[in-house]
């Protein structure tokens, strides 16, 4: 026998003594390797594969020199065998791969093991092993590892790359993450800072500048056009907060990491942005809304150095400028500030009184700019009643009473009509009209502020209500004599 054959026989004897007893007892193969089969390259692996196991591989790999076989082949074939049988742990297969010296082949085996894993945590362990033990010139393993780690991080806040629209890059993913969650993280999450912390972690992992991403998003949100679904009215009753809440909430949340120790810088930047000539009306309004969200009055005055009322008035004009532009009635900010608001209301009323949005805009203008003309106010409220906007009529009446520029007597008629019209609509749908709580609360607020009504007017106003609701409204009437008379009258009817 040649020296190599003798060496093979010695190694086979060791394998039979120390390794092969661990083979399954029901193995269909004999417990002895055929030496002749090992001498033929076409049959060597058919002979050795059944004997490959975690216990025997180190012994069989010793055959690589006399058989002139790559020792890596033993370990890689064993991993393939274990994957096919699906009866070995991931850690066990990775331990086998520790003996492989060819990086590309080892990484390919790690990829196969990862593909067989069901849990992302297991796949992460596989790729971490690959990076720690083998050189990957392509960088694909690190890329896959980062993607898996990021997906696992996203699961902690209840989302995933799929839910974020499969962003093509980590930068796009971070933008989608903030787009989707920034407007609720600050107000609805138990730990508002967790979104920022997660974004910073992902940015570090992928080598992105999170500060730059945040600045890009703030500018994008400030200057975003108003979509059709955001369309609303600037004033209080019709649309307070309905237009810009999402964008303002996003920007406010995004600025939180900058506020500590930098509030003056933030105030300066927002004021400069809002006053720049090339800033759009909607961007000015957003910037000022954010300013009043993130800064106190003292913070603003330390920079603004003018009465705060003038900044609030400027913000209000910006809001109306946005609405006028949305209605394709463009004005410059200077034109709007200087124009006669009553004249503007009369002009819009003459041309657009049949459009609900503009009627609401007119009502807001009348309230916010303290219009004193009772005829135009009555006409606007009557048109809102005609448009079945009865809840809005009550809201505007309540605000007009507080402003105090229109005689309360001019508001009684629209108020009575709104309550009766709404009750009539409800009665058509059911036998007994049941007004919603917010409507009744606004009505109660008005009754407290409007003591000048006669008994007949109170009767006309409250008669359509259910008995229990009517009793609650009676308690809001300040005039005890009238309240007692109506209570006696309705008790007798009952």
């Amino acid at each position: 026998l040649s020296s190599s054959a003798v060496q093979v026989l010695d190694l086979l004897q060791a394998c039979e003594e120390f390794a092969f007893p661990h083979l399954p007892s029901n193995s269909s193969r004999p417990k002895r390797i055929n030496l002749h089969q090992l001498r033929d390259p076409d049959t060597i692996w058919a002979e050795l594969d059944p004997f490959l196991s975690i216990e025997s591989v180190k012994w069989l790999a010793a055959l690589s020199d006399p058989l002139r076989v790559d020792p890596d082949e033993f370990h890689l074939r064993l991993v393939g065998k274990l994957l096919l049988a699906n009866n070995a742990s991931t850690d066990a297969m990775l331990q086998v791969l520790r003996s492989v010296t060819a990086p590309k082949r080892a990484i390919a085996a790690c990829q196969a093991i990862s593909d067989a894993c069901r849990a992302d945590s297991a796949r992460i362990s596989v790729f971490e092993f690959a990076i720690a033990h083998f050189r990957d010139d392509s960088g694909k393993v690190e890329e896959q590892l980062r993607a898996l780690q990021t997906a696992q991080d996203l699961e902690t806040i209840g989302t995933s790359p799929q839910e974020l629209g499969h962003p093509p890059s980590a930068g796009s993913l971070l933008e989608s993450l903030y787009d989707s969650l920034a407007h609720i993280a600050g107000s609805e999450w138990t730990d508002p800072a967790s979104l920022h912390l997660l974004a910073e972690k992902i940015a570090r992992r992928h080598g992105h500048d999170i500060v730059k991403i945040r600045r890009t998003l703030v500018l994008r949100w400030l200057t975003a056009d108003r979509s059709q679904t955001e369309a609303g009215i600037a004033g209080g009753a019709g649309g307070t907060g309905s237009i810009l809440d999402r964008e303002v909430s996003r920007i406010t949340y995004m600025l939180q990491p900058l506020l500590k120790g930098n509030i003056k810088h933030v105030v300066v930047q927002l004021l400069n942005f809002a006053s720049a000539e090339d800033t759009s009306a909607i961007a000015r309004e957003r910037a000022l809304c954010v300013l009043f969200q993130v800064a106190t009055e003292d913070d603003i005055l330390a920079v603004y150095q003018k009465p705060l009322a003038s900044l609030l008035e400027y913000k209000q004009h910006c809001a109306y400028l946005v609405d006028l532009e949305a209605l394709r009635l463009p004005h410059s900010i200077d034109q709007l500030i200087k124009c006669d608001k009553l004249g503007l209301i009369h002009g819009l009323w003459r041309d657009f009184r049949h459009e609900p949005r503009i009627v609401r805009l007119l009502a807001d203008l009348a309230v916010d700019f303290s219009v004193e003309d009772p005829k135009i106010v009555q006409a606007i409220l009557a048109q809102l009643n005609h448009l079945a906007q009865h809840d809005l009529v009550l809201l505007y009446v309540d605000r007009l009473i507080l402003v105090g520029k229109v005689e309360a007597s001019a508001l009684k008629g629209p108020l009575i009509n709104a309550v009766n019209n709404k009750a009539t609509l409800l009665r058509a749908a059911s036998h007994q009209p049941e007004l919603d709580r917010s409507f009744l609360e606004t009505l109660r607020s008005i009754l407290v502020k409007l003591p000048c009504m006669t008994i007949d007017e109170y009767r006309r106003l409250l008669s359509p209500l259910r008995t229990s609701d009517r009793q609650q409204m009676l308690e809001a009437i300040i005039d005890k004599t009238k309240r007692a008379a109506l209570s006696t009258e309705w008790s007798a009817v009952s």
Side-chain angles (χ1 to χ4, degrees), residues 194-256:
S194 58
L195 179 59
H196 283 311
L197 294 174
L198 178 63
E200 290 164 6
K201 181 180 180 181
I202 294 173
R204 283 194 302 271
R205 177 182 296 139
H206 293 271
H208 287 279
D209 185 344
I210 191 62
V211 174
K212 185 177 179 180
I213 290 173
R214 286 170 177 161
R215 286 174 179 166
T216 299
L217 286 172
V218 167
L219 185 59
R220 181 190 302 168
W221 293 334
L222 279 170
T223 58
D225 292 333
R226 184 196 297 181
S227 68
Q228 291 295 324
T229 57
E230 287 179 312
I233 297 298
T240 296
S242 62
I243 311 170
L244 306 172
D245 268 357
R246 174 165 291 201
E247 303 302 336
V248 170
S249 297
R250 283 172 170 166
I251 299 165
T252 301
Y253 180 76
M254 194 64 86
L255 292 177
Q256 292 303 317

Side-chain angles (χ1 to χ4, degrees), residues 409-461:
S409 58
L411 304 175
K412 294 187 290 187
L415 173 64
I416 292 169
N417 289 337
V419 174
N420 279 267
N421 290 343
K422 179 152 187 174
T424 300
L425 288 174
L426 290 172
R427 192 177 293 110
S430 62
H431 177 68
Q432 182 69 20
E434 183 174 352
L435 300 172
D436 56 83
R437 288 293 100 192
S438 61
F439 187 88
L440 291 170
E441 286 169 7
T442 306
L443 178 57
R444 182 183 178 86
S445 173
I446 293 170
L447 289 172
V448 172
K449 305 185 193 81
L450 195 65
C452 61
M453 297 181 73
T454 66
I455 286 184
D456 182 59
E457 287 168 339
Y458 281 127
R459 187 183 295 116
R460 289 161 52 206
L461 177 66

Side-chain angles (χ1 to χ4, degrees), residues 226 231-233 323 326-327 355-362 387:
R226 184 196 297 181
I233 297 298
D323 285 314
L327 297 169
E355 297 189 24
R357 286 186 62 204
I358 295 187
V359 176
R360 289 175 58 185
L361 178 62
L362 293 174
L387 296 169

